[in-house]
Amino acid sequence: MKLSRNLTDQEILNQIKSKTNPNQAISQLYSQHYGMLEHYILQNSGSEDDAADWIQEVMLVFVKMVREEKFRGESSIKSFLYSICKNVWITELRRRKSTLARHERYEGEKDQIDLGITEQISRNENLKFVMGLFEKLGEKCKQVLTLFYFEELPMKEICERLDFSSEQVLRNKKYKCLQSLTEQVKSSETLSQNLLKALRHE
Amino acid sequence: MNENYTLEELEAFLYGELPADKAKKLEEDIKTDLALRSELEALKISREAIDMAGWKEMIQQSQAEFLLNRTEDKKVKPLNSGSADFFLWSKRIAASMAFVLVAMAGYLLFSVSPESITSGQVDYRIPVMRSSENLQTELQEAFAEKEFQKVIDLGSQLDAPSIEASFLVGMAHLQLNQFAAAEEAFLAIEQTNQQNQSLEFADQVDYYLVKAYLSTGQLEEAEVRMRKIIDDPKHTYHQNFGKSDLFKIFILKLKN
């Protein structure tokens, strides 16, 4: 997509936070910063496929932190994305237990890891697990929940789009879908333990 | 599943939309009811997951679109393809060197000629000491004056020319581009030397025979003489030929 004008950092943050034309903001993040992020991963033992996979994760962490107002533009988006990328990639290298991950270069960078970002990456692991559960819901459930919670469309519009006979039928469907998901979350022992741990910290 | 609150009520609580009195009661219950807290947390992360799944799909689409439209030249080359780069550069360097060598060979092929090998050949100068015989002195003087035809004529009048006189006659032929005659004169000197078991003008004969042979296209013979001079460090003309001259003869052979 060719953008007519580049958004400022603050405009990007606002569009993501308010979900106003977020596609434009994400596209600009890619056109402006993908090369830099890819370069970092390629220069640190990663492949092009690694870069493609993990830059998505970087963007996801970025969006999450913007949405939760953990990043309000205190630094430039470029340097913040770079920090996330570094943290995400070092975490991945350690996870792989690759010999390269134990290379001095990464050992030296231990202290540079941003704890806030690391915490977000860790939280995203739980989130990714639940996202996996969400993906396994029926197609109709996914559509209903996405249109309602992500696109924030009114019930009436969702009803029309998905051909529900009434808003009450849609409301019931939404309830069942959400309940199904939360029940699965609760029935996951590992996740429940993680969530309880998080609760105890609170 | 708790019996006291519906999913909608828990959602409304999470997002601050539950009426104040009910919210206050729920807050009190949370403090003692771990299952309720767990359910709230499960609901919260489920809502987050739905939201993030939407973002993830958007991000995937943006990335796919970006990578599709991305031009090849903007791609970053991986560092771990360093070895590949090394081989690539090695090949480039080898190709460049091969190109230079081919270009040099081409240049040599077109530029090398017998004249290019002997163009720097030193001229023969007669020693200051002169023979007592008048005719021979006259022959030497004619050579010194570069009257080469006169040298040849005087030489033919001598019944028993000295080695020096024969050599000057050979040199006169060489100067007049009468290469076959020069070769004949030089080889005659060699023969006389062999008979007399002497080495008069032997080095000069070797040296100037190279030119005679090259000029008559006898490359093998020229090469033999040249190797003889190069291989003998005590040869008078040892410094006058080198490996590059042998290489030029090799090129001449290729041309022929």
Side-chain angles (χ1 to χ4, degrees):
Chain A
M1 185 174 72
K2 185 74 180 171
L3 301 175
S4 55
R5 174 183 79 81
N6 277 346
L7 301 170
T8 63
D9 275 12
Q10 201 52 53
E11 284 171 331
I12 289 174
L13 297 180
N14 290 342
Q15 288 189 197
I16 290 173
K17 179 129 189 12
S18 63
K19 284 189 181 167
T20 311
N21 200 2
N23 267 315
Q24 185 190 13
I26 299 294
S27 293
Q28 187 170 316
L29 290 180
Y30 269 96
S31 62
Q32 287 187 326
H33 305 301
Y34 189 91
M36 169 195 71
L37 302 176
E38 184 186 44
H39 184 260
Y40 177 80
I41 292 174
L42 294 182
Q43 298 301 310
N44 290 285
S45 316
S47 65
E48 282 187 15
D49 287 343
D50 287 328
D53 288 345
W54 290 98
I55 288 170
Q56 279 188 38
E57 178 71 13
V58 169
M59 294 295 182
L60 209 56
V61 171
F62 176 77
V63 165
K64 186 77 180 146
M65 293 185 82
V66 172
R67 298 273 298 156
E68 292 180 351
E69 296 191 335
K70 287 175 182 166
F71 177 69
R72 298 191 184 94
E74 293 85 353
S75 61
S76 69
I77 287 179
K78 182 180 178 179
S79 61
F80 191 59
L81 280 172
Y82 186 81
S83 296
I84 297 173
C85 185
K86 199 163 74 175
N87 282 271
V88 162
W89 184 238
I90 291 171
T91 305
E92 170 59 11
L93 285 178
R94 284 184 185 149
R95 193 186 64 76
R96 290 180 185 182
K97 292 180 181 171
S98 110
T99 50
L100 286 167
R102 294 192 292 274
H103 194 273
E104 283 179 4
R105 184 167 183 169
Y106 300 110
E107 293 296 315
E109 284 184 344
K110 264 183 184 172
D111 295 338
Q112 295 172 27
I113 289 180
D114 186 311
L115 291 175
I117 294 172
T118 310
E119 189 189 327
Q120 187 63 53
I121 293 168
S122 172
R123 284 191 62 212
N124 264 32
E125 288 300 312
N126 290 336
L127 205 53
K128 275 199 283 186
F129 180 80
V130 183
M131 283 160 74
L133 296 176
F134 171 72
E135 289 299 323
K136 288 175 187 166
L137 291 177
E139 196 56 39
K140 201 75 171 178
C141 265
K142 283 200 288 181
Q143 284 179 324
V144 169
L145 295 176
T146 301
L147 290 175
F148 188 80
Y149 290 114
F150 177 67
E151 297 204 15
E152 299 173 356
L153 296 179
M155 280 296 202
K156 190 183 174 189
E157 194 175 333
I158 299 171
C159 203
E160 287 168 1
R161 272 207 204 184
L162 301 180
D163 284 333
F164 277 92
S165 55
S166 70
E167 281 190 33
Q168 189 53 50
V169 175
L170 172 61
R171 213 174 294 279
N172 291 343
K173 180 71 177 171
K174 190 207 113 196
Y175 182 90
K176 283 181 182 171
C177 292
L178 187 60
Q179 193 177 41
S180 167
L181 185 60
T182 52
E183 287 302 318
Q184 287 185 63
V185 170
K186 283 193 288 181
S187 64
S188 163
E189 277 187 27
T190 316
L191 187 61
S192 291
Q193 283 172 0
N194 285 346
L195 294 178
L196 282 173
K197 265 187 207 170
L199 282 172
R200 285 193 200 103
H201 282 299
E202 285 175 0
Chain B
M1 177 89 188
N2 83 88
E3 303 291 328
N4 302 324
Y5 299 96
T6 66
L7 204 56
E8 279 98 339
E9 283 174 328
L10 295 179
E11 269 194 283
F13 172 76
L14 279 177
Y15 298 97
E17 293 160 359
L18 196 66
D21 56 333
K22 218 162 189 180
K24 196 175 177 183
K25 183 170 185 319
L26 205 153
E27 275 172 13
E28 290 299 315
D29 290 344
I30 289 170
K31 287 174 187 170
T32 54
D33 190 343
L34 194 61
L36 180 62
R37 285 171 67 180
S38 176
E39 188 162 352
L40 264 176
E41 198 60 30
L43 177 63
K44 190 180 170 192
I45 199 167
S46 295
R47 284 277 312 259
E48 280 182 34
I50 296 165
D51 194 49
M52 290 317 290
W55 282 104
K56 188 182 175 184
E57 195 178 335
M58 185 190 292
I59 287 167
Q60 281 175 337
Q61 283 173 0
S62 293
Q63 179 161 314
E65 193 181 339
F66 169 77
L67 292 176
L68 192 70
N69 296 327
R70 194 183 191 201
T71 50
E72 282 295 317
D73 60 329
K74 285 186 179 172
K75 282 189 178 177
V76 179
K77 300 292 177 204
L79 186 67
N80 55 11
S81 70
S83 57
D85 282 348
F86 172 77
F87 287 118
L88 185 66
W89 276 104
S90 300
K91 281 182 184 173
R92 285 175 181 168
I93 291 167
S96 302
M97 287 176 72
F99 177 77
V100 170
L101 285 173
V102 168
M104 280 176 67
Y107 170 76
L108 287 171
L109 208 58
F110 286 103
S111 64
V112 170
S113 63
E115 293 75 27
S116 71
I117 299 173
T118 57
S119 59
Q121 213 165 24
V122 290
D123 289 336
Y124 177 75
R125 294 182 188 282
I126 296 169
V128 177
M129 214 167 75
R130 299 199 173 184
S131 166
S132 55
E133 292 179 29
N134 289 338
L135 193 58
Q136 193 141 311
T137 303
E138 194 179 349
L139 190 145
Q140 288 172 331
E141 283 175 355
F143 189 85
E145 294 298 322
K146 297 187 178 180
E147 295 174 12
F148 300 121
Q149 188 54 53
K150 189 177 177 182
V151 172
I152 294 167
D153 293 340
L154 290 171
S156 65
Q157 292 171 29
L158 292 170
D159 292 329
S162 66
I163 294 288
E164 184 185 4
S166 297
F167 175 72
L168 291 177
V169 170
M171 287 301 295
H173 283 299
L174 203 62
Q175 293 294 340
L176 294 173
N177 295 336
Q178 296 165 359
F179 303 113
E183 178 192 339
E184 194 180 332
F186 293 144
L187 289 177
I189 293 170
E190 268 197 334
Q191 204 171 0
T192 307
N193 274 336
Q194 277 176 2
Q195 287 167 359
N196 300 339
Q197 293 186 330
S198 65
L199 288 170
E200 275 190 88
F201 288 88
D203 287 357
Q204 287 80 358
V205 165
D206 286 331
Y207 186 62
Y208 291 104
L209 262 178
V210 171
K211 184 174 183 177
Y213 284 139
L214 285 174
S215 302
T216 53
Q218 301 176 80
L219 301 178
E220 292 289 346
E221 288 78 357
E223 187 182 355
V224 169
R225 292 285 169 176
M226 195 180 276
R227 280 192 188 282
K228 183 183 172 189
I229 296 168
I230 290 170
D231 293 343
D232 180 5
K234 290 181 180 173
H235 199 287
T236 309
Y237 297 92
H238 176 71
Q239 298 294 333
N240 294 76
F241 287 127
K243 300 278 184 191
S244 61
D245 295 307
L246 282 173
F247 182 68
K248 286 178 183 176
I249 292 180
F250 171 74
I251 296 290
L252 284 175
K253 284 182 184 175
L254 287 180
K255 284 173 80 171
N256 292 340

